[in-house]
Amino acid sequence: MQITKNRIWLLTLLMVFSFACEDDDKPMPPAVERIQATFEYSISPNDPNLVLFDNTTDGEGEFKSEWDFGKGEAFVLDQEGVEEVRYEDVGSYTVRLIVTNEAGNTVASEVIEVDVNGVCPDGNCEVQDSGGLKGAANGFEIGMAVRDSRLSGAYDQALTADFNSLTSEYQMKMNILYPSEGNFDFSAADAIVNYAQANDMHVHGHALIWHNATPSWVENFAGTDEEFEAMIKNYITTVVSRYKGKVRSWDVVNEAIEDGSNTLRNSVFRQKMGDDYISKCHQWVKDADPDVLLFYNDYNLTFDSGKQSAMFAIVDDLKTQDLIDGVGAQMHISYNGPSKSQIESVINGTVSRGLLMHISELDIRANPDNDLTALSGDRAEAQKAKFKEVAQIYNAIPAENKFALTVWGLKDDESWLLDFWGVPDWPLMFDAGFNKKRAYEGFLEGIQ
Ligand code: XIL
């Protein structure tokens, strides 16, 4: 009996076991897993403020992808292809892609950093350190127009990082240096020259004679023409001798050509000293400092071919007397002109004469038609392209004609053009907060 009982028990056990085994062989419904969200992004090659997001999430079954572009706006359902998002304002944006399926959701995120130049590659907003503009320039100097009150703090940092030549924006002109007869005032000029020496920079002297910076006592000179000429000779000799060996070069006469007629401007200097007053002044500079480089400097020499010819006529005359070393083309231009070939024309004329070329007062208006109230991304880009073009043209000239590329002011909010034109503009390489603009990058790219 006992055996039979055991057999039944064993049979039952076997049946349960085989049922269990049979059940094990049946296919289980697959367990749903969460899908890992992934995405990649790149900055548009055409627009540094535009980011292209690519959802690279890969997974089986149904899932939903939603974007949070980090701007505090509603989630956006992922679409076919890349998503294009503009980031205009400087700051950090945490971008998230949320992928959801039956099992739950996963998140991928990246931080997009934006500075004044646009979205920073790999979140790194530092412009590549190339030793600054001066470190990148090959065989010529990078100049900046300065004032004695703007040589310390953040100015000092920017100047010493990027520039190795200084031009006084207005404090080495006659109305400041010689405000009244017999009384010279060298205080500001000395401060600039001393700063340059302390920081291993050259000084380009600007400008001994300029009709727009002539003190009233000179405009209304009381003495004879001979006395006037003797006074000018004394003034030039005094100033040039003081800075002998410290100022490398001088704009002797600035802007001597009359607009329109392209004849000699009828300044008090021409009236009292005659048509050859320019060569007289050059001679006195040379007598006071035989090593100093002599420049003739003027504006609108690119698109105004008549003015350019008049300028080269003056220069050729000085050259026959061995009284000139170089030409200064001011280069107050706009993002949309003059053209590349117009800029090249004045440079080619200078190079063909075997003279030094100074782009002496570079600034590039972004708002010449007053159609902007703030610098737009597109305009900043166009301005960058023009800075790059000028720098490239300059960089391409023969080594023996290279001298300096001087920018007329550091920060947008301090450009002389704001007062001059009376409209908003952002013509320089640094914004009001000393940040490098795209214009800076363009300039750097152009000289590399
Ligand atoms: C300008 C300065 O930038 C101003 O600060 C100043 O008040 C007037 O002169 N051409 C020249 C420069 O040769 O000397 C001028 O500089 C700008 C035009």
Side-chain angles (χ1 to χ4, degrees), residues 244-441:
K244 187 170 188 252
K246 297 180 179 173
V247 166
R248 172 168 82 132
S249 45
W250 276 103
D251 289 333
V252 183
V253 177
N254 191 34
E255 302 182 355
I257 301 164
E258 186 71 56
D259 284 316
S261 69
N262 292 329
T263 53
L264 264 193
R265 195 186 289 279
N266 201 23
S267 65
V268 67
F269 307 99
R270 182 195 181 198
Q271 289 172 34
K272 295 190 180 295
M273 291 161 60
D275 281 356
D276 59 345
Y277 83 93
I278 300 179
S279 54
K280 285 177 182 170
C281 293
H282 276 240
Q283 185 65 59
W284 297 326
V285 178
K286 191 171 180 170
D287 291 345
D289 183 354
D291 296 326
V292 87
L293 298 168
L294 307 173
F295 279 78
Y296 178 75
N297 192 59
D298 216 322
Y299 61 97
N300 289 358
L301 298 174
T302 53
F303 62 87
D304 187 340
S305 54
K307 186 162 186 178
Q308 190 189 109
S309 304
M311 181 276 289
F312 279 129
I314 292 173
V315 164
D316 287 339
D317 179 53
L318 291 166
K319 198 158 181 279
T320 58
Q321 303 167 72
D322 196 19
L323 287 175
I324 188 154
D325 297 288
V327 170
Q330 292 187 7
M331 216 57 70
H332 299 294
I333 62 173
S334 295
Y335 78 96
N336 55 357
S339 68
K340 183 169 187 254
S341 61
Q342 287 172 325
I343 296 169
E344 282 170 341
S345 68
V346 65
I347 293 184
N348 293 342
T350 304
V351 168
S352 68
R353 285 168 172 81
L355 294 169
L356 295 170
M357 183 74 233
H358 186 197
I359 289 187
S360 55
E361 302 178 19
L362 176 64
D363 42 36
I364 302 184
R365 297 171 72 193
N367 196 24
D369 304 316
N370 198 15
D371 57 345
L372 298 180
T373 51
L375 181 60
S376 66
D378 288 353
R379 201 58 65 76
E381 209 45 35
Q383 185 191 44
K384 171 185 173 175
K386 203 69 183 168
F387 265 96
K388 182 171 178 174
E389 180 180 278
V390 171
Q392 268 176 333
I393 293 170
Y394 193 84
N395 204 22
I397 71 177
E400 59 270 28
N401 304 100
K402 283 180 174 164
F403 177 70
L405 223 171
T406 297
V407 184
W408 206 245
L410 190 69
K411 291 159 69 219
D412 279 343
D413 58 324
E414 292 166 350
S415 168
W416 75 292
L417 292 169
L418 303 182
D419 281 344
F420 189 79
W421 294 109
V423 296
D425 214 316
W426 308 268
L428 300 171
M429 298 192 298
F430 292 78
D431 72 8
F434 291 93
N435 299 302
K436 290 167 183 161
K437 294 165 56 193
R438 292 178 209 173
Y440 176 99
E441 287 175 24

Side-chain angles (χ1 to χ4, degrees), residues 33-50:
E33 286 178 8
R34 288 193 289 183
I35 296 169
Q36 183 52 53
T38 59
F39 71 91
E40 289 171 356
Y41 75 92
S42 59
I43 304 163
S44 161
N46 307 316
D47 178 352
N49 286 79
L50 188 68

Side-chain angles (χ1 to χ4, degrees), residues 115-134:
D115 73 3
V116 286
N117 300 313
V119 178
C120 308
D122 303 320
N124 176 11
C125 293
E126 284 301 303
V127 171
Q128 289 307 306
D129 186 12
S130 58
L133 300 175
K134 65 179 178 185

